Amino acid sequence: MALEVYQVDAFADQPFTGNPAAVVPLAAARDAAWMQAVAAEMNLSETAFLVPRGAAAAGGGAEWDLRWFTPEVEMELCGHATLAAAHVLWETGRLPAAASVRFHTLSGVLAAERRDGLVELDFPALPPVAEPRPWPQVAAVVGAEPVWVGRRGESLVVQLEDEAAVRGLAPDLTGLLQLADGLIATARATTPAFDFVSRYFAPGVGIAEDPVTGYAHCVLTPFWAERLGRDEMSAYQASRRGGVVRVRLAGDRVRLGGRAVTVLRGELTPAAAGD
């Protein structure tokens, strides 16, 4: 049988904004090599693969296995493709409109629910750890003088002077790979509707710049909550496409809220589906 494929713009309230992800619902688990090949064919920053668990397999449950692939590698955590996956489950009737969903992933169990008109994701908080000075190599690669430098996993986290510095950033991505797989650049917002802005570059996983990144906001939510003195904030990822993320810090968890829009529905042919 042909397999359904959806392309969804996540953290977006209109088509062609936010971050596009492909979502492929499956009846049963498939091997990683096939999923990686599909993700390379989709050629989006992430392709999400969903497999029902337990009662979901009979059409009535809210437990799903979820895996994410870039065109090059499998990822351990991805926010926008998780939002897209939840959106597809609700939109296609695989999940009742009022039900929440639990995703079993490489990062543990992640949840999604509808709240205040948004899809809200329950993700781990990932506060960055400060990097001691001096920072001249970081400044050279980033192309701007940092106010603060830290790390989270394989990502470099840099606070810049202001929103204009973040928006105008043009980092040396080749040089960045000598320091880290990715770069999260952020600053306090000057645009009145937002508390902070950011951009995310991930050349280490084949993504020059990601439009809107859930993972980055797992890092930035505890970072800015400490500095701004509040747990609920509005964030803007200032990529070319751009996207709004509503964030809440809840202990060691982060709630990421956003909208999603389906822009394409199609199918993999039997040959591509491996049937």
Side-chain angles (χ1 to χ4, degrees):
M1 293 179 61
L3 293 176
E4 297 173 356
V5 182
Y6 301 86
Q7 185 168 320
V8 175
D9 288 343
F11 296 112
D13 57 9
Q14 58 183 331
F16 316 128
T17 62
N19 200 351
V23 179
V24 183
L26 300 168
R30 300 292 297 266
D31 67 88
W34 177 83
M35 289 187 284
Q36 186 65 76
V38 172
E41 185 76 12
M42 296 299 100
N43 200 31
L44 297 170
S45 61
E46 310 282 344
T47 297
F49 297 88
L50 285 163
V51 178
R53 279 189 167 215
E63 303 275 336
W64 294 74
D65 288 329
L66 174 61
R67 295 174 73 174
W68 313 278
F69 289 78
T70 78
E72 296 188 9
V73 298
E74 183 171 8
M75 297 296 289
E76 291 189 1
L77 185 67
C78 178
H80 84 279
T82 303
L83 192 156
H87 171 79
V88 166
L89 291 179
W90 283 310
E91 187 178 62
T92 61
R94 289 177 169 88
L95 192 67
S100 59
V101 58
R102 284 163 49 89
F103 295 116
H104 297 262
T105 79
L106 291 178
S107 290
V109 176
L110 308 174
E113 64 179 352
R114 285 173 160 169
R115 182 176 185 271
D116 298 334
L118 304 177
V119 177
E120 188 173 79
L121 308 177
D122 178 4
F123 270 40
L126 303 172
V129 177
E131 185 96 328
R133 289 179 180 269
W135 302 326
Q137 189 178 7
V138 173
V141 165
V142 172
E145 192 63 38
V147 173
W148 185 92
V149 174
R151 289 184 183 271
R152 180 68 207 196
E154 299 302 316
S155 294
L156 192 65
V157 183
V158 176
Q159 181 187 353
L160 300 180
E161 183 66 32
D162 53 28
E163 180 176 324
V166 172
R167 289 180 178 272
L169 204 59
D172 172 7
L173 297 184
T174 301
L176 173 63
L177 288 174
Q178 306 303 311
L179 301 178
D181 284 349
L183 167 66
I184 301 170
T186 189
R188 187 165 183 168
T190 52
T191 301
F194 305 111
D195 296 295
F196 65 88
V197 298
S198 67
R199 291 173 68 188
Y200 178 57
F201 306 86
V205 294
I207 302 169
E209 182 174 3
D210 200 36
V212 192
T213 315
Y215 159 73
H217 288 84
C218 292
V219 176
L220 294 174
T221 299
F223 178 84
W224 283 109
E226 179 182 354
R227 284 156 179 77
L228 298 178
R230 56 183 181 273
D231 293 338
E232 296 194 26
M233 295 166 286
S234 180
Y236 184 72
Q237 191 156 330
S239 66
R240 181 178 60 82
R241 291 172 64 101
V244 177
V245 186
R246 308 293 178 184
V247 302
R248 292 193 294 132
L249 184 64
D252 63 353
R253 307 293 291 180
V254 167
R255 307 290 197 267
L256 307 176
R259 294 184 171 87
V261 181
T262 300
V263 297
L264 182 150
R265 298 182 182 92
E267 63 181 29
L268 292 173
T269 65
D275 294 337

